[in-house]
Amino acid sequence: MLAFQYIDDDESLSALVAQYRKSPLLVLDTEFVRTRTFYARLGLIQAYDGKTLALIDPVAVSDLSEFWCLLQAPNMTTILHSCSEDLEVFAHNGQCQPAKLFDSQIAAALCGFGHGLGYAKLVEQTLDIPLDKGESRTDWIKRPLSEAQLHYAANDVYYLFELYPQLVEKLEQQNRMEWVFEEGERMTQGRLSPPDLDLAYLRVKNAFQLSPTQLAYLKVLATWRLSKAVSRDLAVGFVVKDHALIGLAKKQPKSITELYKMIELTEQEKRVHGKDLIALLATADLDNLPKAIDILALKTGYKSAFKTIKQCLTDISEQHDVPIELLGSKRHIHEYLEWQWGDKTGAIPLLLCGWRKGLVSVPLAALSI
């Protein structure tokens, strides 16, 4: 059984942070619950520097500010596995991001273990140790946590520290260590910015179906929904669902009577938000209409160009032993085509940045698309 410290008061946390400051490496993981909430509810933080494994109880500790400052130390490498959701937790709870991030899932992909490996699979491949994932559905907010739950959580950082040297050795052999840190820096960018309320309408499913006038209505509805979701810490779908917003933008009911006839809204949505929705629709700015959403994938030649680029990137991924999903995903190819066909204006696509640029820029430039 792994030995660990359970940190549930401010004084113990201060002592722990003072120790961790002396270490160049810190392995982290978080356990959280997200069902109906906009933000994940943080239930536990696991940390290990190779000497002290600690389980930090954010429910009991009143002030985590010292710990959040620790993550931002420029001389500290923070090691996480598949860390997108952890970064979201850090941004919301600590208003911070790790200064130097090493994501072991990306590292594993870049040194030949395979793309998208889960933590247990990576431990099994590198250390030949099978992990029990039986506590993965734990309610991490509920107290007290059982010994089985705590040891499950401790395993998530202990073995990551143990396998880290293997990843580093392979990455250094291939001169790819900086690639991992580059990916880490990219993943942390923009995390501390608040949600852009004005652009919320672009994330509503099937918004591309709407005319500019309908988009003007959708814009005020989506802005209102996101604002309410953030203020109430409620997932946007539990405020009003996407298809209801689309229906409102298309039909633009002028009265409660008209709104109650709509089949796109649930009875609860009508009852709770009906008056607000009618009032919101009346505020749509019809003098400054949003642009129609241009669906690049519907343009003539898109499928052919996409296929050509995908084949080019597949050849490069095989040549350099980099998973195609990491080198150039569907989103990356779409972003590149959008830039290429948009007279190369706007932000340079990811395919032409950093380590990817050195692999793909010349072959992509030679394509006729």
Side-chain angles (χ1 to χ4, degrees):
M1 299 288 274
L2 295 179
F4 58 81
Q5 291 184 16
Y6 191 79
I7 306 297
D8 58 0
D9 62 78
D10 293 0
E11 186 178 348
S12 299
L13 181 65
S14 292
L16 179 72
V17 169
Q19 176 190 316
Y20 282 165
R21 283 200 186 101
K22 301 172 186 176
S23 176
L25 301 174
L26 186 63
V27 181
L28 289 179
D29 190 28
T30 64
E31 305 296 348
F32 51 84
V33 175
R34 190 202 320 250
T35 50
R36 295 174 58 92
T37 57
F38 186 82
Y39 297 107
R41 298 177 64 199
L42 181 58
L44 196 68
I45 303 170
Q46 304 101 288
Y48 184 42
D49 66 347
K51 296 178 181 178
T52 301
L53 198 162
L55 304 181
I56 303 168
D57 186 346
V59 178
V61 175
S62 63
D63 184 4
L64 288 165
S65 58
E66 284 189 86
F67 178 78
W68 300 130
C69 287
L70 178 69
L71 301 193
Q72 301 170 75
N75 61 334
M76 170 78 73
T77 296
T78 302
I79 306 166
L80 292 135
H81 186 84
S82 185
C83 65
S84 181
E85 290 183 302
D86 300 294
L87 296 180
E88 188 180 328
V89 166
F90 298 156
H92 176 61
N93 291 274
Q95 292 76 53
C96 70
Q97 292 289 277
K100 192 176 182 183
L101 173 61
F102 183 101
D103 186 318
S104 54
Q105 188 178 67
I106 290 173
L110 287 174
C111 58
F113 285 105
H115 174 72
L117 277 186
Y119 175 69
K121 192 69 176 176
L122 181 59
V123 170
E124 191 171 353
Q125 282 196 25
T126 55
L127 304 177
D128 197 27
I129 296 173
L131 292 183
D132 178 15
K133 302 300 287 185
E135 301 294 337
S136 59
R137 295 189 179 276
T138 288
D139 180 354
W140 294 101
I141 303 298
K142 188 178 179 180
R143 294 295 185 268
L145 294 170
S146 69
E147 282 298 309
Q149 290 165 341
L150 294 175
H151 281 282
Y152 164 86
N155 283 341
D156 279 350
V157 287
Y158 178 79
Y159 291 110
L160 185 48
F161 188 92
E162 293 296 303
L163 66 83
Y164 174 73
Q166 289 193 38
L167 297 178
V168 170
E169 182 181 6
K170 289 180 178 294
L171 289 166
E172 289 181 340
Q173 287 172 356
Q174 298 174 275
N175 293 316
R176 292 182 177 181
M177 193 71 175
E178 287 307 311
W179 292 15
V180 178
F181 289 124
E182 183 187 312
E183 288 297 292
E185 184 178 354
R186 181 181 63 81
M187 286 191 291
T188 61
Q189 288 175 353
R191 293 272 181 180
L192 302 184
S193 301
D196 192 332
L197 297 176
D198 284 340
L199 298 181
Y201 75 102
L202 295 175
R203 295 191 291 275
V204 178
K205 186 177 181 181
N206 293 325
F208 71 92
Q209 297 175 350
L210 304 185
S211 68
T213 298
Q214 292 169 336
L215 286 173
Y217 289 104
L218 181 65
K219 186 172 182 178
V220 295
L221 292 166
T223 297
W224 165 84
R225 182 180 68 165
L226 180 55
S227 178
K228 187 163 287 286
V230 170
S231 65
R232 294 178 58 194
D233 192 17
L234 193 64
V236 291
F238 288 104
V239 180
V240 177
K241 291 187 167 44
D242 277 9
H243 69 269
L245 295 189
I246 294 294
L248 287 163
K250 286 181 176 180
K251 296 182 177 178
Q252 305 140 35
K254 301 294 190 294
S255 67
I256 287 291
T257 302
E258 290 181 22
L259 182 138
Y260 264 76
K261 292 178 181 178
M262 291 182 59
I263 61 172
E264 293 89 347
L265 277 75
T266 66
E267 293 305 310
Q268 181 178 352
E269 288 169 342
K270 293 172 184 177
R271 185 178 65 256
V272 176
H273 301 300
K275 290 182 179 179
D276 287 341
L277 294 171
I278 293 297
L280 278 165
L281 289 167
T283 67
D285 186 357
L286 302 181
D287 295 323
N288 297 286
L289 299 179
K291 293 181 181 178
I293 299 174
D294 185 15
I295 304 302
L296 186 71
L298 299 180
K299 287 188 174 181
T300 303
Y302 177 86
K303 287 185 178 180
S304 175
F306 188 98
K307 185 177 180 181
T308 299
I309 295 171
K310 179 68 177 291
Q311 186 57 57
C312 175
L313 295 177
T314 299
D315 293 341
I316 295 169
S317 75
E318 292 172 356
Q319 179 185 351
H320 294 278
D321 193 22
V322 178
I324 182 63
E325 299 91 344
L326 184 60
L327 176 66
S329 66
K330 289 181 179 180
R331 180 174 60 82
H332 296 152
I333 296 173
H334 182 89
E335 179 187 71
Y336 175 78
L337 270 174
E338 199 167 37
W339 178 80
Q340 186 78 20
W341 287 357
D343 297 324
K344 300 182 179 180
T345 57
I348 297 174
L350 187 65
L351 281 173
L352 299 183
C353 296
W355 62 269
R356 290 178 179 83
K357 180 180 179 180
L359 298 182
V360 310
S361 60
V362 172
L364 284 182
L367 297 178
S368 177
I369 54 175

